[in-house]
Amino acid sequence: MPGFELFGSEERKQVNDVLETGILMRFGFDAARKGIWKAKELEAAISKKFDCTYTHLVSSGTTALTTVLSALGIGYGDEVIMPTFTFVASFEAIISVGALPVLVDVDDTLTMDPAAVRKAITSKTKCVMPVHMCGAQADLDALQQICKEHKLILLEDACQSFGATYKGKYLGTIGDAGCYSFDFVKIVTCGEGGAIVTNRKDVYINSDGFSDHGHDHIGVDRGADLHPFLGYNFRISELHAAVGLAQFNRLEEFLTKQRAGHAQLKAILSQVPEISFRRVLDEAGDSCTFLSWFLPTTELTEAVVTELKAQNSWGGNFYWFDHNWHYIRKWEHLKKGVTLNALHPEYKAAILQQANKDFSASDAIMSRGISTQVALLPTEQQVKEKGEKIVAAVKKVLAAQKISA
Ligand SMILES: *Cc1c(COP(=O)(O)O)cnc(C)c1O
């Protein structure tokens, strides 16, 4: 997944362009910047390639989510439906705008189960926020249908799936709005950065203003433009955008490498009949940042994790069930409602209630799943060795189980 594996002369050149003008700010200073607008250039490039009307860059994927939730008018009294398997930023952003994260189970797509979404809808539901985890798609056809029926906003968290598509359209561009992350470990990185994409002019204008203290950016003089509403500073800098621009120009190169590594790894793991794979709704559009696979039971999965660790071959594999960044089971701070600032007692009680629901349906999936990262640098030989180590560990654990049975 990480673009950081492949920094080169393009990244250096883009950053140098900015340093030569000395204008590190993405807005204003029109004369001094000598025509260098890296953030604007990257926004235009993403809109063009992804065939969406507007792209707005911000400082991170988390601030992209926070900005777009505000731009969509989501806040106090609203419920946002999100999955149990995602990055912590999903609920951080929802809570930061004062809305309630309503957690729902994932299925074998590793993304939100549309049936669980239907059950979670109340009169307060305003938005459904699927997260396209590990490079592949949530069930957007089903979710769009639900949103249409109930007049809900569809906001795609595509932070982990930049460059992936669903039925020919780029993830993020299908709902009312979508978010991307360009943090250090994502497929395309700016160091830190994020983006909002939308076809809605109101969402774009609001996002542009909100992420720059509410400035309306009308008129030349930065000091003279108005602030029609409150905002924050979630701006990206020109230096970050410059790195992103060089990386974005290499997106196809990164995707091609990942797809080849993924296919190779999948062929190797397919030799073991007990291994099954994540259900991917549109295989051709998978960005293939991970190969996600399942074993028949939690016990076997845990034993394989232990075996790979014992052999020092665990690197690049993820058992999300045990991971405190990505899965509800280990989100202790959320489950206990620990915040630095005081929350209204009723709101806090509602968060606690959501975070402590029964998620056994998610557990039954997540406890049997391992994701193997597909990196950009390994050679075919190295991918082969990695796959064979996994196969050997699985076979060893299966054999031990048969003996003990
Ligand atoms: C990385 C990520 C984010 C947040 O992005 P940052 O740029 O790290 O703030 C949000 N959602 C998901 C699913 C992510 O993987």
Side-chain angles (χ1 to χ4, degrees):
M1 121 154 136
F4 73 75
E5 293 174 277
L6 292 171
F7 287 136
S9 55
E10 289 107 295
E11 283 79 3
R12 271 181 212 104
K13 188 202 162 289
Q14 292 287 353
V15 171
N16 269 333
D17 286 351
V18 176
L19 289 175
E20 272 161 28
T21 69
I23 306 301
L24 312 189
M25 165 79 151
R26 69 151 302 174
F27 293 114
F29 303 93
D30 295 28
R33 64 192 315 138
K34 303 193 180 87
I36 304 282
W37 299 89
K38 297 299 181 190
K40 278 193 203 302
E41 202 181 327
L42 179 52
E43 286 167 351
I46 293 171
S47 295
K48 180 159 183 255
K49 184 172 172 66
F50 287 9
D51 193 23
C52 63
T53 319
Y54 304 103
T55 302
H56 181 64
L57 291 173
V58 287
S59 55
S60 72
T62 309
T63 56
L65 288 168
T66 307
T67 297
V68 80
L69 285 165
S70 293
L72 288 159
I74 294 165
Y76 174 71
D78 297 328
E79 295 181 356
V80 179
I81 299 179
M82 60 162 277
T84 51
F85 176 46
T86 175
F87 181 61
V88 290
S90 302
F91 61 77
E92 288 170 353
I94 295 168
I95 292 172
S96 78
V97 301
L100 181 68
V102 172
L103 285 107
V104 297
D105 280 316
V106 294
D107 59 23
D108 59 349
T109 64
L110 298 183
T111 64
M112 57 171 40
D113 174 4
V117 173
R118 276 193 190 279
K119 279 190 209 139
I121 293 172
T122 72
S123 59
K124 291 181 178 171
T125 308
K126 185 135 180 200
C127 175
V128 177
M129 191 168 97
V131 185
H132 305 297
M133 283 304 278
C134 304
Q137 318 89 3
D139 190 346
L140 287 174
D141 278 351
L143 296 172
Q144 267 185 316
Q145 182 59 36
I146 292 170
C147 288
K148 209 173 131 194
E149 275 170 38
H150 295 269
K151 296 195 169 54
L152 303 174
I153 293 164
L154 181 61
L155 169 59
E156 295 173 73
D157 179 343
C159 286
Q160 287 199 11
S161 297
F162 189 69
T165 57
Y166 179 68
K167 302 189 175 173
K169 287 186 182 164
Y170 281 91
L171 294 184
T173 67
I174 296 164
D176 290 271
C179 291
Y180 304 124
S181 163
F182 307 122
D183 77 20
F184 189 57
V185 297
K186 300 301 206 279
I187 178 167
V188 158
T189 184
C190 296
E192 299 283 2
I196 295 146
V197 284
T198 183
N199 294 315
R200 283 177 52 177
K201 190 172 183 185
D202 61 328
V203 175
Y204 169 67
I205 303 252
N206 286 346
S207 298
D208 178 60
F210 184 84
S211 56
D212 186 25
H213 303 291
H215 280 293
D216 63 8
H217 301 139
I218 298 170
V220 260
D221 184 355
R222 220 181 134 65
D225 60 358
L226 303 175
H227 17 88
F229 48 79
L230 294 173
Y232 296 95
N233 174 11
F234 292 153
R235 292 186 306 261
I236 194 163
S237 83
E238 284 286 279
L239 289 173
H240 291 87
V243 176
L245 193 55
Q247 291 256 300
F248 182 65
N249 289 335
R250 306 173 72 183
L251 176 61
E252 289 304 324
E253 175 195 338
F254 296 171
L255 287 170
T256 303
K257 286 213 166 93
Q258 284 183 178
R259 285 171 175 154
H262 186 277
Q264 197 195 345
L265 211 58
K266 190 170 179 183
I268 297 169
L269 267 63
S270 298
Q271 296 164 18
V272 183
E274 285 84 356
I275 293 180
S276 61
F277 295 94
R278 170 190 189 173
R279 183 160 59 90
V280 175
L281 297 162
D282 180 353
E283 303 238 356
D286 188 346
S287 66
C288 294
T289 53
F290 288 92
L291 177 68
S292 299
W293 46 284
F294 301 106
L295 287 167
T297 66
T298 306
E299 293 67 35
L300 281 169
T301 314
E302 283 171 345
V304 167
V305 173
T306 306
E307 178 60 28
L308 283 168
K309 282 183 179 164
Q311 291 177 10
N312 266 332
S313 308
W314 177 247
N317 290 293
F318 294 84
Y319 185 44
W320 305 116
F321 188 60
D322 263 352
H323 211 282
N324 69 5
W325 288 98
H326 291 92
Y327 185 56
I328 178 75
R329 183 163 164 259
K330 292 277 172 88
W331 290 340
E332 290 303 326
H333 55 334
L334 180 70
K335 291 207 261 193
K336 293 187 181 134
V338 186
T339 56
L340 293 178
N341 49 339
L343 300 178
H344 188 284
E346 276 173 30
Y347 176 55
K348 181 168 172 173
I351 293 174
L352 290 179
Q353 192 255 327
Q354 281 303 324
N356 291 286
K357 289 191 299 196
D358 170 27
F359 295 116
S360 48
S362 298
D363 286 347
I365 302 282
M366 300 307 298
S367 64
R368 295 186 297 106
I370 292 174
S371 293
T372 303
Q373 189 165 44
V374 182
L376 298 174
L377 285 179
T379 59
E380 248 185 78
Q381 182 58 30
Q382 287 165 327
V383 175
K384 182 167 177 272
E385 282 164 19
K386 183 170 180 158
E388 282 170 355
K389 278 182 185 157
I390 293 171
V391 167
V394 173
K395 283 186 175 163
K396 186 173 167 188
V397 165
L398 286 168
Q401 189 206 33
K402 272 176 199 134
I403 291 164
S404 71

